[in-house]
Amino acid sequence: MPDPLTLLEIPTSLVSNEDPTISIKDLDVFYGSNHALMKVNMNIYPKQITAFIGPSGCGKSTLIKTINRMNDLVAGCKIKGSILLDGADIYARTTDVNLLRKRVGMVFQKPNPFPMSIYDNVAFGPRTHGIKKKSELDEIVERALRDAVLFDELKNDLKRSALALSGGQQQRLCIARALAVEPEVLLMDEPTSALDPISTARIEELALQLKERYTIVIVTHNMQQALRIADHTAFFLLGELVEYNHTLQIFSEPKDPRTDDYVKGRFG
């Protein structure tokens, strides 16, 4: 039987008629003397899923944390180059970091619900940004839980502790919490690595639904996950962006032999 990838027409370049949501230019990231990312250049386009793949320590998570300035919290971290969000440099002195993190939401590897009710988890962000009216919060909580495909499961238990949910439900709740502040971009740092296959499939289905409205960046060690859901894939190795292209191109006709070796399981 032929490889199903060979039956598909494979694009050969990242050409888009739309302006990129995120444009990364000559980005270097240092942790002290450790050069974690080296001269990264890439554009991330709206309403698509972009996957970052590569072995541990290659710079994937460093880059995703740099996109919403979470690396500001790391002592000794130094950034060179620029990251533009809708054309504006997020590292400019005039950037409001709180507003940036509202526009660029984050979901982490392990579910991290707050030790409070399901409702209060989702309402936390909107309250932080000044929304106090209960009727307005009710609408936001319901919308975010529906967006995360959780409302029908939990609508009668919103006062229940979020810590009592299953791992998969907790991760979808964390996605709902991120969506409650209406971000433009959703960053997902290995969001399914701690989940069982059924929960993983639900998160992947959810990501495919959410890309109709959001720009999604996902870090994954699971190459099959990237192949299943990502429009574009970037392969990192030792801090270098080795290759970035349409996902089918990366997996079927990579241009760099290091990419070919990685996707074929010869290392990593």
Side-chain angles (χ1 to χ4, degrees):
M1 179 178 291
D3 185 333
L5 291 178
T6 64
L7 302 179
L8 299 173
E9 183 178 350
I10 300 173
T12 58
S13 64
L14 281 177
V15 176
S16 175
N17 293 325
E18 295 187 83
D19 292 332
T21 301
I22 298 167
S23 185
I24 300 168
K25 299 181 178 181
D26 294 329
L27 181 72
D28 286 272
V29 179
F30 300 83
Y31 296 123
S33 62
N34 176 28
H35 199 171
L37 283 173
M38 307 172 193
K39 285 290 180 288
V40 173
N41 287 277
M42 66 188 303
N43 289 327
I44 296 172
Y45 291 96
K47 297 183 180 178
Q48 296 184 4
I49 298 175
T50 300
F52 294 171
I53 64 170
S56 296
C58 68
K60 307 183 302 294
S61 292
T62 292
L63 181 54
I64 207 171
K65 291 172 184 175
T66 304
I67 292 173
N68 75 340
R69 292 188 55 170
M70 287 202 65
N71 275 329
D72 287 10
L73 307 174
V74 179
C77 182
K78 182 179 179 181
I79 310 290
K80 291 183 177 180
S82 63
I83 298 179
L84 308 181
L85 175 63
D86 294 331
D89 188 349
I90 69 168
Y91 282 91
R93 291 184 178 181
T94 55
T95 297
D96 182 330
V97 177
N98 288 327
L99 178 58
L100 171 68
R101 292 179 184 151
K102 178 179 184 294
R103 297 174 65 195
V104 183
M106 184 83 168
V107 177
F108 296 93
Q109 180 175 0
K110 292 183 179 179
N112 61 338
F114 300 144
M116 54 182 68
S117 72
I118 293 164
Y119 183 100
D120 287 338
N121 263 268
V122 183
F124 184 88
R127 283 173 172 152
T128 300
H129 291 285
I131 297 175
K132 306 296 182 185
K133 190 176 179 181
K134 185 177 184 304
S135 61
E136 192 171 354
L137 288 170
D138 288 348
E139 290 178 7
I140 291 170
V141 169
E142 179 174 345
R143 185 194 69 243
L145 288 172
R146 286 192 184 280
D147 285 348
V149 197
L150 263 180
F151 185 73
D152 289 340
E153 294 176 42
L154 303 179
K155 61 185 177 182
N156 297 320
D157 294 308
L158 297 183
K159 294 182 180 180
R160 181 182 174 194
S161 171
L163 301 180
L165 300 177
S166 69
Q169 288 177 319
Q170 287 187 6
Q171 193 64 300
R172 283 186 284 151
L173 178 64
C174 292
I175 293 172
R177 190 174 65 197
L179 297 179
V181 296
E182 298 185 352
E184 298 170 42
V185 179
L186 185 62
L187 307 177
M188 307 176 83
D189 192 359
E190 297 192 56
T192 63
S193 64
L195 303 181
D196 61 85
I198 292 175
S199 297
T200 294
R202 286 180 176 171
I203 297 293
E204 290 179 3
E205 291 169 6
L206 175 57
L208 289 169
Q209 293 173 23
L210 292 175
K211 80 168 187 175
E212 296 177 4
R213 286 177 289 150
Y214 302 96
T215 301
I216 297 176
V217 181
I218 182 169
V219 169
T220 181
H221 271 103
N222 185 334
M223 287 186 284
Q224 291 303 311
Q225 180 172 78
L227 189 55
R228 284 192 295 267
I229 69 172
D231 299 286
H232 302 126
T233 296
F235 169 56
F236 292 85
L237 183 64
L238 300 175
E240 178 187 352
L241 173 55
V242 174
E243 190 165 351
Y244 178 43
N245 214 321
H246 294 278
T247 296
L248 292 178
Q249 183 79 35
I250 290 289
F251 282 92
S252 288
E253 296 179 3
K255 296 177 180 178
D256 192 294
R258 293 170 294 176
T259 310
D260 191 50
D261 286 344
Y262 183 74
V263 301
K264 290 181 178 175
R266 297 189 183 109
F267 72 96

